[in-house]
Amino acid sequence: MKTPTPAFPRTRMRRVRKTDWSRRLVAENTLTPSDLIWPVFVHEGENLAVEIPSMPGVKRLSVDLLVIAAKEAFNLGIPVIALFPAVEQHLKSDDGREAHNPDNIICKAIRALKDAVPEMGVLCDVALDPFTLHGQDGLVENGYVVNDPSVEALIRQTLNQVEAGCDIIAPSDMMDGRIGAIRDALEIEGHINTSIMSYAAKYASGFYGPFRDAVGSTGNLGTSDKRTYQMNAANSDEAIREVALDINEGADMVMVKPGMPYLDICRRVKDTFAIPTFAYQVSGEYAMLSAAAQNGWLERDKVVMESLLGFKRAGCDGILTYFAVDAALHLQG
Ligand code: PBG
């Protein structure tokens, strides 16, 4: 009997790609609305929504509109909202003391959200930059952001936000030792169930530009930058050390920021620590994709969903993204 000539190729990778059912069947990663955290900018006023020119489609909201938007997002399945304040210029100071005011815009927003959508998680940034005249995340002495006094201020900011009802504290300041100091203060004050999602590997990035427009800190920062505390884009082992420290100091979840240019860091962090890992697809990433879509150069839905799935593939458990509501709507079909 003649042996049949083996067909070539034996392995046809295209078989499972042929139909929709089999593409779905073999998909390794999925994105759901539960993976999304929606960052929102808030400001004073009533029924006031202001477009952010460098983030087409994103609006800064007054608290009444924020509550409506949060309800919609929660009903779409988005579990957490992240709040960022645009503080009125006359309330800014060198020491950012408005951050400690129990009636500041963030505390008002937290209380309104906890009242209207109590099941939704509220995440708050901890850093002084929206509140300072100089636009730095900490206190400045002789042109340098001083570490330990800044940490003291960040503890006060944390407790102020937690007392207003914040569920997740997210220090974005990159001072040394702040996670441990904040965790100790929370324990001492009895806030034992407040989560900390640390901005553990946060890089000094050009991609934050539109955010600084949105919170009104661009002009304040002037020509100075944040390179004495945020990380150098050249480094990746250093990110592992930063994450290790934050976990040892009591972080429950860690974040890598920015997102798309740092997917290698997400993967290393997840593989090394197996801790809930998040990426922040920041304002500049939003601006980049939106601007290209507005020009008709990219298909918005396609590239948004593809970029978000990329984070899941890189090991992230979730993503902070200004596209959260668009993506959740898209997933709903
Ligand atoms: C403040 C903070 C920044 C962002 C989040 N928290 C800006 C910065 O570090 O200058 C950036 C978010 C974004 O670009 O979307 N510390």
Side-chain angles (χ1 to χ4, degrees):
M1 201 177 93
K2 203 173 159 240
T3 37
T5 324
F8 177 82
R10 281 188 188 134
T11 301
R12 292 186 185 271
M13 296 298 284
R14 293 181 55 192
R15 276 184 206 119
V16 294
R17 294 182 199 140
K18 186 163 178 261
T19 55
D20 181 63
W21 61 260
S22 78
R23 286 192 293 269
R24 284 194 287 128
L25 185 69
V26 301
E28 296 172 42
N29 293 283
T30 50
L31 180 77
T32 78
S34 301
D35 299 320
L36 305 172
I37 298 177
W38 186 31
V40 181
F41 301 105
V42 278
H43 58 194
E44 290 289 351
E46 232 175 275
N47 192 22
L48 183 63
V50 176
E51 298 267 357
I52 299 154
S54 49
M55 299 180 76
V58 173
K59 291 189 180 102
R60 238 162 43 196
L61 303 175
S62 51
V63 173
D64 50 345
L65 298 182
L66 168 77
V67 166
I68 297 167
K71 268 191 194 154
E72 285 168 6
F74 187 72
N75 289 337
L76 285 168
I78 297 172
V80 176
I81 190 165
L83 301 178
F84 295 93
V87 176
E88 292 174 320
Q89 192 64 23
H90 72 96
L91 294 173
K92 295 188 184 186
S93 56
D94 277 337
D95 60 6
R97 68 182 77 105
E98 175 66 6
H100 315 311
N101 174 3
D103 285 317
N104 70 19
I105 181 70
I106 280 292
C107 292
K108 283 194 266 197
I110 300 168
R111 284 194 292 265
L113 285 171
K114 282 284 129 190
D115 196 37
V117 221
E119 314 85 358
M120 189 175 210
V122 174
L123 178 150
C124 292
D125 214 63
V126 174
L128 296 182
D129 55 326
F131 303 94
T132 54
L133 279 169
H134 45 67
Q136 295 289 356
D137 292 12
L139 301 172
V140 179
E141 283 172 28
N142 301 321
Y144 184 71
V145 176
V146 287
N147 197 86
D148 303 8
S150 295
V151 171
E152 290 303 314
L154 298 167
I155 290 172
R156 288 181 63 195
Q157 181 183 18
T158 295
L159 294 175
N160 190 34
Q161 295 179 152
V162 171
E163 274 147 27
C166 169
D167 301 295
I168 307 174
I169 281 296
S172 73
D173 55 283
M174 291 298 279
M175 296 300 116
D176 288 325
R178 91 277 203 218
I179 299 299
I182 287 172
R183 177 55 82 204
D184 287 350
L186 288 170
E187 289 289 324
I188 288 166
E189 295 299 323
H191 302 297
I192 60 168
N193 286 322
T194 301
S195 292
I196 299 179
M197 179 188 291
S198 75
Y199 287 73
K202 176 171 178 180
Y203 288 84
S205 171
F207 286 101
Y208 306 150
F211 172 97
R212 293 175 187 166
D213 293 341
V215 302
S217 69
T218 307
N220 297 345
L221 206 52
T223 56
S224 60
D225 59 43
K226 302 190 176 182
R227 287 183 295 174
T228 70
Y229 46 104
Q230 298 179 347
M231 286 179 54
N232 180 346
N235 299 347
S236 110
D237 288 347
E238 189 188 353
I240 300 304
R241 295 186 66 203
E242 281 283 6
V243 172
L245 282 167
D246 285 6
I247 295 173
N248 284 333
E249 290 176 29
D252 304 289
M253 305 174 261
V254 295
M255 193 204 298
V256 174
K257 180 184 172 195
M260 294 190 295
Y262 297 88
L263 292 179
D264 58 320
I265 307 297
C266 298
R267 171 49 67 193
R268 278 191 75 181
V269 167
K270 189 63 180 180
D271 286 349
T272 308
F273 301 103
I275 189 172
T277 302
F278 293 79
Y280 197 146
Q281 183 179 49
V282 299
S283 57
E285 300 175 67
Y286 176 91
M288 197 161 68
L289 296 181
S290 302
Q294 265 192 337
N295 276 306
W297 297 336
L298 292 175
E299 272 182 65
R300 185 178 164 110
D301 278 350
K302 266 194 189 158
V303 294
V304 167
M305 300 314 284
E306 185 178 334
S307 68
L308 296 175
L309 197 53
F311 291 109
K312 295 295 298 286
R313 206 181 55 244
C316 293
D317 297 284
I319 308 113
L320 289 93
T321 175
Y322 301 96
F323 292 116
V325 170
D326 300 275
L329 280 168
H330 184 83
L331 288 167
Q332 215 180 34

